[in-house]
Amino acid sequence: MRAMTIERYGGPEVVRMRDDAPVPVPREGEVLVQVVCAGVNFMDIHTRQGKYADSRTYPVRIPCTLGMEGAGVVVATGPGVTRPAIGQRVAWCIAWGSFAQYAAIPARLAAVLPDEIDFDTAASAMFQGCTAHYLLNDVAALDAGASCLVHAASGSIGQLLIQMAKRKGVTVYATASSEEKRAVALARGADVVLPYDDGGFADRVRASTSGRGVDVVFDSLGKATLRDSMRATRKRGLVINYGNVSGSVKDLDPYELGEAGSLFLTRPRLADHMADATTVQERADDIFGAILDGNLKIEITDRYAFEEIPKGHERIEAREQVGKAVAFI
């Protein structure tokens, strides 16, 4: 089969586009899916770079097939699988191998799709949709009248966080690096959109909240913003660091959290909030239901052919991607 694989970690040069890869055989608890469409994500780049080489949460090891989000049709099941069934349309994330014609994935991570949801919508919605869903509902637990700050607001997760928060009646502050990206955040419903301004966003958030700060910050950038995110947070507020696009913070003293106002800081991961098939299906149903109702918009800005996936990764790595990209396998 056709597949995009790596045998060592590194830059784009380590990626191998194959047309002779073996079709995987589903093991116990797995389903074999004929992949129709795959999501193109920053996690693919992190995988290639080796950032999950020692991870227990995401135990992907080389050699491996890239692609951790996709949608397709179940064509075979491994021992012990009762659902989904052969022939059902499914979507998944945080299971690697979707940059291939066939992928063997854990059955518990495969969400059955509504008939009205097409494959490209499904492949664009699972990872970012489930991430925004658990961050907002499980970790932040925001309700009407609360306030939050969303970094990287024009990105796929940022756009969804804004929309989901506004549906709950939350006041949303957002940051983005350019006028074009800030316009996207405004279009998704953010109340106030700011430039990063070398950390100056924190001062402007404080000024806009009469010195109080926001209840929760969603920070996917890490090193470039985390300490200023703390400055933008109210006393006893919550900073959620769910990504490290700008690099990891390796010198944070817990004392700083106390000095910043007895803050709570967490570094959650989606895998721990997708622990069983029921949870996965419920999250997917909420997301796809909101899309069908018109309450949630996911803009697919780029659609790539299989051989064009490296181009998509180049755009993401250069921070040029606005919205979501998918690839047809």
Side-chain angles (χ1 to χ4, degrees):
M1 68 173 183
R2 185 168 55 189
M4 178 182 290
T5 65
I6 59 171
E7 296 181 354
R8 59 189 176 91
Y9 298 123
E13 72 281 355
V14 305
V15 175
R16 182 182 176 193
M17 307 289 279
R18 300 180 58 185
D19 58 10
D20 62 347
V23 175
V25 176
R27 298 172 297 183
E28 184 172 358
E30 292 183 338
V31 294
L32 182 67
V33 181
Q34 183 173 0
V35 183
V36 176
C37 196
V40 181
N41 297 290
F42 214 111
M43 283 186 79
D44 305 323
I45 296 166
H46 284 173
T47 303
R48 187 200 75 210
Q49 294 171 335
K51 293 189 177 179
Y52 305 119
D54 299 316
S55 174
R56 289 177 294 178
T57 310
Y58 299 121
V60 56
R61 304 289 185 260
I62 52 175
C64 71
T65 300
L66 296 176
M68 45 69 66
E69 177 184 36
V73 179
V74 177
V75 295
T77 60
V81 173
T82 57
R83 65 151 305 278
I86 293 174
Q88 286 192 301
R89 302 165 66 250
V90 297
W92 68 93
C93 64
I94 56 173
W96 275 253
S98 62
F99 292 164
Q101 290 175 290
Y102 295 90
I105 64 170
R108 65 178 180 81
L109 292 177
V112 177
L113 299 176
D115 292 339
E116 302 87 349
I117 293 291
D118 54 28
F119 287 117
D120 55 348
T121 298
S124 72
M126 274 301 288
F127 175 50
Q128 280 84 7
C130 289
T131 298
H133 191 276
Y134 95 84
L135 288 174
L136 191 75
N137 294 289
D138 296 16
V139 182
L142 289 171
D143 292 316
S147 61
C148 70
L149 170 62
V150 178
H151 287 314
S154 70
S156 299
I157 296 174
Q159 290 188 41
L160 294 175
L161 282 170
I162 292 169
Q163 293 176 78
M164 291 180 182
K166 292 308 298 178
R167 287 175 60 197
K168 284 179 166 285
V170 175
T171 299
V172 178
Y173 297 82
T175 56
S177 60
S178 69
E179 288 289 348
E180 176 191 11
K181 292 180 178 181
R182 290 192 284 275
V184 170
L186 282 171
R188 293 292 173 261
D191 297 282
V192 179
V193 184
L194 304 167
Y196 293 106
D197 193 24
D198 292 326
F201 68 83
D203 301 306
R204 297 178 67 174
V205 167
R206 283 281 181 181
S208 296
T209 57
S210 302
R212 179 178 183 270
V214 294
D215 296 303
V216 175
V217 177
F218 297 98
D219 189 325
S220 60
L221 300 180
K223 185 177 181 179
T225 52
L226 190 62
R227 284 188 168 90
D228 291 306
S229 293
M230 291 161 55
R231 292 200 301 118
T233 308
R234 68 164 173 85
K235 288 183 179 180
R236 296 169 61 191
L238 173 64
V239 178
I240 303 172
N241 173 220
Y242 67 96
N244 59 346
V245 172
S246 69
S248 299
V249 178
K250 299 181 178 179
D251 61 346
L252 181 65
D253 187 335
Y255 177 83
E256 295 179 55
L257 298 172
E259 286 291 290
S262 299
L263 301 183
F264 295 88
L265 171 64
T266 185
R267 181 48 164 99
R269 278 186 164 171
L270 176 60
D272 294 323
H273 295 264
M274 300 277 274
D276 56 75
T278 299
T279 301
V280 171
Q281 190 67 56
E282 286 176 349
R283 289 202 197 284
D285 288 345
D286 280 355
I287 294 157
F288 293 130
I291 291 172
L292 293 173
D293 291 342
N295 294 317
L296 196 64
K297 180 176 177 57
I298 296 178
E299 184 176 5
I300 302 175
T301 54
D302 293 280
R303 290 174 167 85
Y304 298 107
F306 173 78
E307 61 272 9
E308 296 176 315
I309 293 174
K311 176 183 174 183
H313 286 162
E314 287 175 9
R315 292 200 65 206
I316 291 175
E317 208 161 4
R319 301 290 297 279
E320 295 174 352
Q321 182 69 45
V322 176
K324 180 72 181 203
V326 297
F328 289 91
I329 308 300

